[in-house]
Amino acid sequence: MTRPIIGRVAPERWRTNGATAPGQRTVGEPGTARIAVDLLGGDQAPAVVVDGALRAAQADPSLHLTLVGPAEAADAVLAALDPPDRQRITTVVTTAGTVRGAAHAVAEGRADALVSAGDTGATVLSAARELGRWPGVRRPALAAVLPTAAGRLVLLDVGSSVDPDEEALLVHARLGSAYASIVFDLKNPRVGLLTIGSEPGKGDRLRRSAPALFASRPLPSGARYVGLVEGGDVVLGTAADVVVTDGFTGNVLLKGLEAGYALTGPPKPGTTLPPRAAVLLGVGGTVVVCHGAATGSDLAAGIAYAADLHRRASVAAIADLLRYSEVSHD
């Protein structure tokens, strides 16, 4: 069973700050964004999710929220909003399967994107079942943006696929290259494979066998494989623009760096930290996953991130770049 990718628009209608179709110019109109929010996702849910949803709704008058969860949690958001703003809130009352309910709202066209701070595995599974996967993507990847001394870097996977093989890592390299190209307008992104040393042959079996595959297959947007990189290269950002690893290692690295940045600030003084959230690449819609320990501010930033990705048609543009036009529910 296949169907078109949600959010697909004609190239001339892309609202993106990233790559454009030949001869087209970008349009920066805000537009409405309808975000389905999993009210029971997160260590401190639903209170922290209610806080985040309220902050997001108050900050963005063009934002519409579909709150999926217990009635009392949704009512707490409604009660805190002015009457005119309550019209931008829709509720789906349930106490079980909230993340799948939110994904279903996107699949049915009642929402444009999904945000959850719940269990990563449940979120990925719900997104894959409800929205489908892109052809050839057996394991969708969570891509996070990290600040570096040189600017910013895309790290993936950060928690979705903890035990990938070489082919899965290559697919993730393609997804990350397309994401960097479309969202950040990076020309010829440099792709590195994370391991314990930059010399050839460093690392476990997977890290020793994957480089030959990376070097032999083309990557989108003129991206090029630049070899093995270490953890320090992720902080410096001078060796690669996209760093690929398994979800276990990526999640450990991400949480360690975020804790460090919270204490000392970003590697480049004066820069703003990206949202503590990751986009799920390889499924047929816009899905943003926040940390289980997310604060209300983190949830609000994740919702804003999902709204921005939708408004710029980023997921559809990435799919177009990779020549994916449909998703599969097999």
Side-chain angles (χ1 to χ4, degrees):
M1 177 182 175
T2 62
R3 62 163 176 75
I5 293 171
I6 294 171
R8 179 169 300 283
V9 293
E12 65 271 15
R13 294 181 56 208
W14 287 357
R15 297 185 299 276
T16 176
N17 294 331
T20 59
Q24 304 295 334
R25 68 191 279 252
T26 57
V27 180
E29 69 183 51
T32 298
R34 304 169 300 158
I35 310 301
V37 180
D38 171 15
L39 286 176
L40 292 185
D43 298 344
Q44 304 299 321
V48 70
V49 187
V50 168
D51 181 30
L54 181 59
R55 290 174 185 236
Q58 291 174 329
D60 184 351
S62 296
L63 187 68
H64 292 241
L65 299 179
T66 295
L67 306 178
V68 184
E72 58 270 21
D75 289 344
V77 178
L78 291 169
L81 291 172
D82 293 332
D85 291 330
R86 294 173 191 167
Q87 299 177 12
R88 298 188 283 120
I89 307 297
T90 302
T91 61
V92 177
V93 177
T94 181
T95 57
T98 51
V99 66
R100 186 161 189 182
H104 189 63
V106 178
E108 286 194 330
R110 293 182 283 114
D112 301 311
L114 156 66
V115 174
S116 177
D119 179 79
T120 298
T123 303
V124 174
L125 181 61
S126 295
R129 285 180 173 175
E130 294 291 337
L131 305 174
R133 295 185 304 270
W134 294 350
V137 180
R138 301 302 303 175
R139 301 186 179 191
L142 280 169
V145 179
L146 290 175
T148 70
R152 59 194 166 196
L153 173 147
V154 177
L155 175 67
L156 74 168
D157 181 31
V158 295
S160 172
S161 182
V162 299
D163 189 25
D165 58 15
E166 295 90 338
E167 287 287 347
L169 287 182
L170 178 63
V171 170
H172 292 176
R174 290 177 52 78
L175 293 171
S177 300
Y179 176 76
S181 174
I182 292 295
V183 176
F184 298 122
D185 198 20
L186 280 179
K187 309 299 182 186
N188 309 120
R190 299 164 300 164
V191 178
L193 179 64
L194 184 66
T195 187
I196 57 174
S198 58
E199 304 87 355
K202 284 284 187 176
D204 58 10
R205 183 202 61 78
L206 179 62
R207 252 61 58 153
R208 293 195 303 271
S209 59
L213 185 64
F214 275 46
S216 66
R217 302 278 187 89
L219 297 172
S221 302
R224 63 190 189 282
Y225 173 61
V226 295
L228 303 177
V229 298
E230 302 179 55
D233 295 316
V234 175
V235 177
L236 297 175
T238 54
D241 306 301
V242 177
V243 172
V244 180
T245 188
D246 63 276
F248 180 89
T249 305
N251 191 270
V252 171
L253 176 62
L254 174 67
K255 289 178 178 176
L257 289 175
E258 286 182 335
Y261 296 156
L263 292 173
T264 65
K268 186 176 182 180
T271 59
T272 302
L273 289 172
R276 295 179 66 217
V279 60
L280 184 63
L281 299 176
V283 297
T286 302
V287 176
V288 169
V289 179
C290 298
H291 288 294
T295 64
S297 178
D298 292 331
L299 263 298
I303 292 170
Y305 179 37
D308 183 60
L309 289 171
H310 164 68
R311 285 167 174 153
R312 298 195 286 162
S314 298
V315 170
I318 292 168
D320 284 335
L321 182 61
L322 295 173
R323 301 185 183 276
Y324 296 146
S325 60
E326 292 182 326
V327 295
S328 173
H329 287 267
D330 59 1

Coordinates of all heavy atoms in Angstrom, one line a residue, residues 50-145:
V50 N 1.6 20.4 28.8 CA 0.6 21.5 28.9 C 1.3 22.8 28.9 O 0.9 23.8 28.2 CB -0.3 21.3 30.1 CG1 -1.2 22.6 30.4 CG2 -1.2 20.1 30.0
D51 N 2.3 22.9 29.7 CA 3.1 24.2 29.8 C 3.7 24.5 28.4 O 3.6 25.7 28.0 CB 4.2 24.0 30.8 CG 5.1 25.3 31.0 OD1 4.5 26.4 30.8 OD2 6.3 25.1 31.3
G52 N 4.3 23.5 27.8 CA 4.9 23.8 26.5 C 3.9 24.2 25.4 O 4.1 25.1 24.6
A53 N 2.7 23.5 25.4 CA 1.7 23.8 24.4 C 1.2 25.2 24.6 O 0.9 25.9 23.7 CB 0.6 22.8 24.5
L54 N 1.0 25.6 25.9 CA 0.5 26.9 26.2 C 1.5 28.0 25.8 O 1.1 29.0 25.1 CB 0.2 27.0 27.7 CG -0.3 28.4 28.2 CD1 -1.7 28.7 27.5 CD2 -0.5 28.3 29.7
R55 N 2.7 27.8 26.1 CA 3.8 28.7 25.6 C 3.8 28.9 24.1 O 3.9 30.0 23.6 CB 5.2 28.3 26.1 CG 5.4 28.3 27.6 CD 6.8 27.7 27.9 NE 7.0 27.6 29.3 CZ 8.1 28.1 29.9 NH1 9.0 28.8 29.2 NH2 8.3 28.0 31.2
A56 N 3.7 27.7 23.4 CA 3.8 27.8 21.9 C 2.6 28.5 21.4 O 2.7 29.3 20.4 CB 3.9 26.3 21.4
A57 N 1.4 28.2 21.9 CA 0.2 28.8 21.4 C 0.2 30.3 21.6 O -0.3 31.1 20.8 CB -1.1 28.2 22.0
Q58 N 0.7 30.7 22.7 CA 0.7 32.2 23.1 C 1.7 32.9 22.2 O 1.6 34.1 21.9 CB 0.9 32.4 24.5 CG -0.2 31.9 25.4 CD 0.1 32.0 26.9 OE1 1.3 31.8 27.3 NE2 -0.9 32.2 27.7
A59 N 2.8 32.2 21.9 CA 3.9 32.9 21.1 C 3.6 33.0 19.6 O 4.2 33.9 19.0 CB 5.2 32.1 21.3
D60 N 2.7 32.1 19.1 CA 2.5 32.1 17.6 C 1.0 32.1 17.3 O 0.3 31.1 17.5 CB 3.1 30.8 17.1 CG 3.0 30.7 15.6 OD1 2.4 31.5 14.9 OD2 3.7 29.8 15.0
P61 N 0.5 33.3 16.9 CA -0.9 33.4 16.6 C -1.4 32.6 15.4 O -2.6 32.4 15.2 CB -1.1 34.9 16.4 CG 0.2 35.4 16.0 CD 1.2 34.5 16.8
S62 N -0.5 32.1 14.6 CA -0.8 31.3 13.4 C -0.8 29.8 13.7 O -0.9 29.0 12.8 CB 0.1 31.6 12.2 OG -0.1 33.0 11.9
L63 N -0.5 29.4 15.0 CA -0.4 28.0 15.4 C -1.7 27.5 15.8 O -2.4 28.1 16.6 CB 0.6 27.9 16.5 CG 1.1 26.5 16.9 CD1 1.9 25.8 15.8 CD2 1.9 26.6 18.2
H64 N -2.1 26.3 15.3 CA -3.2 25.6 15.7 C -2.8 24.2 16.3 O -1.9 23.6 15.7 CB -4.2 25.3 14.5 CG -4.8 26.5 14.0 ND1 -6.2 26.7 14.0 CD2 -4.3 27.7 13.5 CE1 -6.5 27.9 13.5 NE2 -5.4 28.5 13.2
L65 N -3.3 23.9 17.5 CA -2.8 22.7 18.2 C -3.9 21.7 18.3 O -5.1 22.0 18.6 CB -2.3 23.0 19.6 CG -1.1 23.9 19.7 CD1 -0.8 24.2 21.1 CD2 0.1 23.4 18.9
T66 N -3.6 20.4 18.0 CA -4.5 19.3 18.3 C -3.9 18.5 19.5 O -2.8 17.9 19.3 CB -4.6 18.3 17.1 OG1 -5.3 19.0 16.0 CG2 -5.5 17.1 17.4
L67 N -4.5 18.6 20.6 CA -4.0 18.1 21.8 C -4.6 16.7 22.0 O -5.8 16.5 22.1 CB -4.4 19.0 23.0 CG -4.0 20.4 22.9 CD1 -4.4 21.2 24.1 CD2 -2.4 20.5 22.7
V68 N -3.7 15.7 22.1 CA -4.2 14.3 22.1 C -3.8 13.7 23.5 O -2.6 13.6 23.9 CB -3.5 13.4 21.0 CG1 -4.1 12.0 21.1 CG2 -3.7 14.0 19.7
G69 N -4.8 13.5 24.3 CA -4.6 13.0 25.7 C -5.8 13.1 26.6 O -6.9 13.3 26.1
P70 N -5.6 13.1 27.9 CA -6.7 13.2 28.9 C -7.4 14.5 28.8 O -6.8 15.6 28.5 CB -6.0 13.1 30.2 CG -4.6 12.5 29.9 CD -4.3 12.9 28.6
A71 N -8.7 14.5 29.0 CA -9.5 15.7 28.9 C -9.0 16.8 29.9 O -9.0 18.0 29.5 CB -11.0 15.4 29.2
E72 N -8.6 16.4 31.1 CA -8.2 17.4 32.1 C -7.0 18.1 31.7 O -6.8 19.3 31.9 CB -8.1 16.8 33.4 CG -7.1 15.7 33.5 CD -7.7 14.3 33.3 OE1 -8.8 14.2 32.6 OE2 -7.1 13.3 33.7
A73 N -6.1 17.4 31.0 CA -4.8 18.1 30.5 C -5.1 19.1 29.4 O -4.6 20.2 29.4 CB -3.8 17.0 30.0
A74 N -5.9 18.7 28.4 CA -6.3 19.6 27.4 C -7.1 20.8 27.9 O -6.9 21.9 27.5 CB -7.2 18.9 26.3
D75 N -8.0 20.5 28.9 CA -8.7 21.6 29.5 C -7.8 22.6 30.2 O -8.2 23.8 30.2 CB -9.8 21.1 30.5 CG -10.9 20.3 29.8 OD1 -11.0 20.5 28.6 OD2 -11.6 19.6 30.5
A76 N -6.7 22.2 30.7 CA -5.8 23.1 31.4 C -5.2 24.1 30.4 O -5.0 25.3 30.7 CB -4.7 22.3 32.0
V77 N -4.9 23.7 29.1 CA -4.5 24.6 28.1 C -5.6 25.6 27.7 O -5.3 26.8 27.7 CB -4.0 23.8 26.9 CG1 -3.5 24.8 25.8 CG2 -2.9 22.9 27.2
L78 N -6.7 25.1 27.5 CA -7.9 25.9 27.1 C -8.2 27.0 28.2 O -8.4 28.1 27.9 CB -9.1 25.1 26.9 CG -9.1 24.2 25.6 CD1 -10.2 23.2 25.6 CD2 -9.1 25.0 24.4
A79 N -8.1 26.6 29.4 CA -8.5 27.5 30.5 C -7.5 28.6 30.6 O -7.8 29.7 31.1 CB -8.5 26.7 31.9
A80 N -6.2 28.4 30.2 CA -5.2 29.4 30.4 C -5.1 30.4 29.2 O -4.4 31.4 29.2 CB -3.8 28.8 30.6
L81 N -5.9 30.1 28.1 CA -5.9 30.9 26.9 C -7.0 31.9 26.9 O -8.1 31.6 27.5 CB -5.9 30.0 25.7 CG -4.7 29.2 25.4 CD1 -5.0 28.3 24.2 CD2 -3.5 30.1 25.0
D82 N -6.9 33.0 26.3 CA -8.0 33.9 26.1 C -9.0 33.3 25.2 O -8.7 32.5 24.3 CB -7.5 35.3 25.5 CG -6.6 36.0 26.4 OD1 -6.7 35.9 27.6 OD2 -5.7 36.7 25.9
P83 N -10.3 33.6 25.3 CA -11.3 33.0 24.5 C -11.0 33.0 23.0 O -11.3 31.9 22.4 CB -12.6 33.8 24.8 CG -12.3 34.3 26.2 CD -10.8 34.5 26.3
P84 N -10.6 34.1 22.4 CA -10.3 34.0 20.9 C -9.3 32.9 20.6 O -9.3 32.3 19.5 CB -9.8 35.4 20.5 CG -10.4 36.3 21.6 CD -10.3 35.4 22.9
D85 N -8.3 32.8 21.4 CA -7.2 31.8 21.2 C -7.6 30.4 21.3 O -7.0 29.4 20.8 CB -6.0 32.1 22.1 CG -5.3 33.4 21.7 OD1 -5.3 33.8 20.6 OD2 -4.7 34.0 22.7
R86 N -8.7 30.1 22.1 CA -9.2 28.8 22.3 C -9.7 28.2 21.0 O -9.7 26.9 20.9 CB -10.3 28.8 23.4 CG -9.8 29.2 24.7 CD -10.9 29.3 25.7 NE -10.5 29.9 27.0 CZ -11.3 30.4 27.9 NH1 -12.6 30.3 27.7 NH2 -10.8 31.0 29.0
Q87 N -10.1 29.0 20.1 CA -10.5 28.5 18.8 C -9.4 27.8 18.0 O -9.7 27.1 17.0 CB -11.1 29.6 18.0 CG -12.3 30.3 18.6 CD -12.9 31.5 17.8 OE1 -12.5 31.7 16.7 NE2 -13.7 32.3 18.4
R88 N -8.2 28.0 18.4 CA -7.1 27.4 17.7 C -6.7 26.1 18.3 O -5.7 25.5 17.9 CB -5.9 28.3 17.7 CG -6.1 29.7 17.0 CD -4.8 30.5 16.8 NE -4.5 31.1 18.1 CZ -3.3 31.0 18.7 NH1 -2.4 30.0 18.3 NH2 -3.0 31.6 19.8
I89 N -7.5 25.6 19.3 CA -7.2 24.3 20.0 C -8.2 23.3 19.7 O -9.4 23.6 19.8 CB -7.1 24.6 21.5 CG1 -6.1 25.7 21.8 CG2 -6.7 23.3 22.2 CD1 -4.7 25.4 21.4
T90 N -7.8 22.1 19.2 CA -8.7 21.0 19.1 C -8.2 19.9 20.0 O -7.0 19.7 20.3 CB -8.6 20.5 17.6 OG1 -9.0 21.5 16.7 CG2 -9.5 19.3 17.4
T91 N -9.1 19.2 20.6 CA -8.8 18.1 21.5 C -9.2 16.7 21.0 O -10.3 16.6 20.4 CB -9.4 18.3 22.9 OG1 -10.8 18.3 22.8 CG2 -8.9 19.7 23.5
V92 N -8.4 15.7 21.2 CA -8.7 14.3 21.0 C -8.5 13.6 22.3 O -7.4 13.4 22.8 CB -7.8 13.7 19.9 CG1 -8.1 12.2 19.8 CG2 -7.9 14.4 18.6
V93 N -9.6 13.3 23.0 CA -9.6 12.7 24.3 C -9.3 11.3 24.3 O -10.0 10.5 23.7 CB -10.9 13.0 25.1 CG1 -10.9 12.4 26.5 CG2 -11.2 14.5 25.2
T94 N -8.2 10.9 24.9 CA -7.8 9.5 25.1 C -6.8 9.4 26.2 O -6.1 10.3 26.5 CB -7.2 8.9 23.8 OG1 -6.9 7.5 24.0 CG2 -6.0 9.7 23.4
T95 N -6.6 8.2 26.8 CA -5.6 8.0 27.8 C -4.7 6.9 27.4 O -3.8 6.5 28.2 CB -6.3 7.7 29.2 OG1 -7.1 6.5 29.0 CG2 -7.1 8.9 29.7
A96 N -4.9 6.3 26.2 CA -4.0 5.2 25.7 C -3.7 5.5 24.3 O -4.5 6.0 23.5 CB -4.8 3.9 25.9
G97 N -2.4 5.2 23.9 CA -2.0 5.3 22.6 C -2.0 6.8 22.1 O -2.4 7.0 20.9
T98 N -1.6 7.7 22.9 CA -1.7 9.1 22.6 C -0.8 9.5 21.4 O -1.1 10.3 20.5 CB -1.4 10.0 23.8 OG1 -0.1 9.6 24.4 CG2 -2.5 9.9 24.8
V99 N 0.4 8.9 21.4 CA 1.3 9.2 20.3 C 0.8 8.7 18.9 O 0.9 9.3 17.9 CB 2.8 8.7 20.5 CG1 2.8 7.2 20.6 CG2 3.7 9.3 19.5
R100 N 0.2 7.5 19.0 CA -0.4 7.0 17.7 C -1.6 7.8 17.3 O -1.8 8.0 16.1 CB -0.7 5.5 17.9 CG -1.2 4.9 16.6 CD -1.2 3.4 16.5 NE -1.4 2.9 15.2 CZ -1.5 1.6 14.9 NH1 -1.2 0.7 15.8 NH2 -1.7 1.2 13.6
G101 N -2.4 8.3 18.3 CA -3.5 9.1 18.0 C -3.0 10.4 17.3 O -3.7 10.9 16.4
A102 N -1.9 11.0 17.8 CA -1.4 12.2 17.2 C -0.9 11.9 15.8 O -1.1 12.7 14.9 CB -0.3 12.7 18.1
A103 N -0.2 10.7 15.6 CA 0.2 10.4 14.3 C -0.9 10.1 13.3 O -0.9 10.5 12.1 CB 1.1 9.1 14.3
H104 N -2.0 9.6 13.9 CA -3.2 9.3 13.1 C -3.8 10.6 12.6 O -4.4 10.7 11.5 CB -4.2 8.5 13.9 CG -5.4 8.0 13.1 ND1 -5.2 7.1 12.0 CD2 -6.7 8.3 13.2 CE1 -6.4 6.9 11.5 NE2 -7.3 7.6 12.2
A105 N -3.8 11.6 13.5 CA -4.3 13.0 13.1 C -3.6 13.5 11.9 O -4.1 14.1 11.0 CB -4.3 13.9 14.3
V106 N -2.2 13.3 11.9 CA -1.5 13.8 10.7 C -1.8 13.0 9.5 O -2.0 13.5 8.4 CB 0.1 13.7 11.0 CG1 0.9 14.1 9.8 CG2 0.4 14.6 12.2
A107 N -1.9 11.6 9.6 CA -2.2 10.8 8.5 C -3.6 11.1 7.9 O -3.7 11.0 6.7 CB -2.2 9.3 9.0
E108 N -4.5 11.5 8.7 CA -5.9 11.8 8.2 C -6.0 13.3 7.7 O -7.0 13.6 7.2 CB -6.9 11.6 9.3 CG -7.2 10.2 9.6 CD -8.4 10.0 10.5 OE1 -8.7 10.9 11.3 OE2 -9.2 9.0 10.3
G109 N -4.9 14.0 7.8 CA -4.9 15.4 7.3 C -5.5 16.4 8.3 O -5.8 17.6 8.0
R110 N -5.7 16.0 9.6 CA -6.3 16.9 10.6 C -5.2 17.7 11.2 O -5.4 18.6 12.0 CB -7.1 16.1 11.6 CG -8.4 15.5 11.0 CD -9.2 14.8 12.1 NE -8.6 13.5 12.4 CZ -8.1 13.2 13.6 NH1 -8.1 14.1 14.6 NH2 -7.7 12.0 13.8
A111 N -3.9 17.3 11.0 CA -2.8 18.0 11.5 C -1.6 18.0 10.5 O -1.6 17.1 9.6 CB -2.3 17.4 12.9
D112 N -0.7 18.9 10.6 CA 0.4 19.0 9.6 C 1.7 18.3 10.2 O 2.6 18.0 9.4 CB 0.7 20.4 9.3 CG -0.5 21.2 8.7 OD1 -1.1 20.6 7.8 OD2 -0.8 22.3 9.2
A113 N 1.8 18.2 11.5 CA 3.0 17.6 12.0 C 2.7 17.1 13.4 O 1.7 17.4 14.0 CB 4.1 18.7 12.1
L114 N 3.6 16.3 13.9 CA 3.4 15.6 15.2 C 4.6 16.0 16.1 O 5.8 16.0 15.6 CB 3.4 14.1 15.0 CG 3.8 13.2 16.2 CD1 2.8 13.3 17.3 CD2 3.9 11.7 15.7
V115 N 4.3 16.2 17.4 CA 5.4 16.5 18.4 C 5.1 15.6 19.6 O 4.0 15.6 20.1 CB 5.5 17.9 18.8 CG1 6.5 18.1 20.0 CG2 5.8 18.8 17.6
S116 N 6.2 14.9 20.0 CA 6.1 14.0 21.2 C 7.4 14.0 22.0 O 8.4 14.0 21.3 CB 5.7 12.6 20.8 OG 5.6 11.8 22.0
A117 N 7.3 14.0 23.3 CA 8.4 13.7 24.1 C 8.4 12.4 24.8 O 9.0 12.1 25.8 CB 8.5 14.8 25.2
G118 N 7.5 11.5 24.2 CA 7.4 10.2 24.8 C 8.4 9.2 24.4 O 9.5 9.6 23.8
D119 N 8.2 7.9 24.6 CA 9.1 6.9 24.3 C 9.5 6.9 22.8 O 8.6 6.9 21.9 CB 8.5 5.5 24.6 CG 9.4 4.4 24.3 OD1 10.4 4.1 25.0 OD2 9.2 3.8 23.2
T120 N 10.8 7.0 22.5 CA 11.2 7.1 21.1 C 10.8 5.9 20.3 O 10.3 6.1 19.2 CB 12.8 7.2 21.1 OG1 13.2 8.4 21.8 CG2 13.2 7.3 19.6
G121 N 10.9 4.7 20.8 CA 10.5 3.6 20.0 C 9.0 3.6 19.7 O 8.7 3.3 18.5
A122 N 8.2 4.0 20.6 CA 6.8 4.1 20.4 C 6.5 5.1 19.3 O 5.6 5.0 18.5 CB 6.0 4.3 21.7
T123 N 7.2 6.3 19.4 CA 6.9 7.4 18.5 C 7.3 7.0 17.1 O 6.6 7.2 16.1 CB 7.7 8.6 18.9 OG1 7.3 9.0 20.2 CG2 7.4 9.8 18.0
V124 N 8.5 6.3 16.9 CA 9.0 5.9 15.6 C 8.0 4.9 15.0 O 7.7 4.9 13.8 CB 10.4 5.4 15.7 CG1 10.8 4.8 14.4 CG2 11.4 6.5 16.1
L125 N 7.6 3.9 15.8 CA 6.7 2.8 15.4 C 5.4 3.4 15.0 O 4.8 3.1 13.9 CB 6.5 1.8 16.5 CG 5.6 0.6 16.1 CD1 6.2 -0.2 14.9 CD2 5.4 -0.3 17.3
S126 N 4.8 4.3 15.8 CA 3.5 5.0 15.4 C 3.6 5.8 14.1 O 2.7 5.7 13.3 CB 3.1 5.8 16.6 OG 2.8 5.1 17.8
A127 N 4.7 6.5 14.0 CA 4.9 7.3 12.8 C 5.0 6.4 11.6 O 4.4 6.7 10.5 CB 6.1 8.2 12.9
A128 N 5.8 5.4 11.7 CA 6.0 4.4 10.5 C 4.7 3.8 10.1 O 4.3 3.6 9.0 CB 7.0 3.4 10.8
R129 N 3.9 3.4 11.1 CA 2.6 2.7 10.8 C 1.6 3.6 10.3 O 0.9 3.3 9.3 CB 2.1 2.0 12.1 CG 2.8 0.8 12.5 CD 2.2 0.2 13.8 NE 2.9 -1.1 14.1 CZ 2.6 -1.8 15.2 NH1 1.8 -1.3 16.1 NH2 3.2 -3.0 15.4
E130 N 1.5 4.8 10.8 CA 0.4 5.7 10.4 C 0.8 6.5 9.2 O 0.0 6.8 8.3 CB 0.1 6.7 11.6 CG -0.6 6.0 12.8 CD -2.0 5.5 12.5 OE1 -2.6 6.0 11.5 OE2 -2.4 4.6 13.2
L131 N 2.1 6.9 9.1 CA 2.5 7.8 8.0 C 3.2 7.0 6.9 O 3.4 7.5 5.8 CB 3.4 8.9 8.5 CG 2.8 9.7 9.6 CD1 3.8 10.7 10.2 CD2 1.5 10.5 9.1
G132 N 3.7 5.8 7.2 CA 4.5 5.1 6.2 C 5.9 5.5 6.1 O 6.3 6.5 6.6
R133 N 6.7 4.6 5.5 CA 8.2 4.9 5.3 C 8.5 5.2 3.8 O 7.8 4.7 2.9 CB 9.0 3.7 5.8 CG 8.9 3.4 7.3 CD 9.9 2.3 7.6 NE 9.7 1.1 6.8 CZ 8.9 0.1 7.2 NH1 8.2 0.2 8.3 NH2 8.8 -0.9 6.4
W134 N 9.5 6.0 3.6 CA 10.0 6.2 2.3 C 10.6 4.9 1.7 O 11.1 4.1 2.5 CB 11.0 7.3 2.2 CG 10.5 8.7 2.6 CD1 9.2 9.0 2.8 CD2 11.3 9.9 2.9 NE1 9.1 10.3 3.2 CE2 10.3 10.9 3.2 CE3 12.6 10.2 2.9 CZ2 10.7 12.2 3.5 CZ3 13.0 11.4 3.2 CH2 12.1 12.4 3.5
P135 N 10.6 4.7 0.4 CA 11.1 3.5 -0.2 C 12.6 3.3 0.2 O 13.4 4.2 0.1 CB 11.0 3.8 -1.7 CG 9.9 4.7 -1.8 CD 10.0 5.6 -0.6
G136 N 12.9 2.1 0.6 CA 14.3 1.8 1.0 C 14.7 2.2 2.4 O 15.8 1.9 2.8
V137 N 13.8 2.9 3.1 CA 14.1 3.3 4.4 C 13.5 2.3 5.4 O 12.3 2.5 5.8 CB 13.7 4.8 4.7 CG1 14.0 5.2 6.1 CG2 14.3 5.7 3.7
R138 N 14.2 1.3 5.8 CA 13.7 0.4 6.7 C 13.8 0.9 8.2 O 12.9 0.6 9.0 CB 14.5 -1.0 6.6 CG 14.5 -1.6 5.3 CD 13.0 -1.9 4.8 NE 12.3 -2.7 5.7 CZ 11.0 -3.1 5.6 NH1 10.3 -2.6 4.5 NH2 10.4 -3.8 6.4
R139 N 14.7 1.7 8.4 CA 14.9 2.3 9.8 C 15.0 3.8 9.7 O 16.1 4.4 9.3 CB 16.2 1.7 10.4 CG 16.2 0.2 10.5 CD 17.4 -0.3 11.3 NE 17.4 -1.7 11.4 CZ 18.2 -2.4 12.2 NH1 19.1 -1.7 13.0 NH2 18.1 -3.7 12.3
P140 N 13.9 4.5 9.9 CA 14.0 6.0 9.9 C 15.0 6.5 10.9 O 15.4 5.8 11.9 CB 12.6 6.4 10.3 CG 11.7 5.2 10.0 CD 12.6 4.0 10.2
A141 N 15.5 7.7 10.7 CA 16.6 8.3 11.5 C 16.2 9.5 12.2 O 15.5 10.4 11.6 CB 17.8 8.5 10.6
L142 N 16.6 9.7 13.4 CA 16.4 10.9 14.1 C 17.6 11.8 13.9 O 18.7 11.5 14.3 CB 16.2 10.7 15.6 CG 14.8 10.2 16.1 CD1 14.8 9.8 17.5 CD2 13.8 11.4 15.9
A143 N 17.4 13.0 13.4 CA 18.4 13.9 13.1 C 18.4 15.1 14.0 O 17.3 15.8 14.1 CB 18.4 14.4 11.6
A144 N 19.4 15.4 14.7 CA 19.5 16.6 15.6 C 20.5 17.6 15.1 O 21.5 17.2 14.4 CB 19.9 16.1 17.0
V145 N 20.3 18.8 15.4 CA 21.2 19.9 15.0 C 22.0 20.3 16.2 O 21.4 20.6 17.3 CB 20.5 21.1 14.4 CG1 21.5 22.2 14.0 CG2 19.7 20.7 13.2

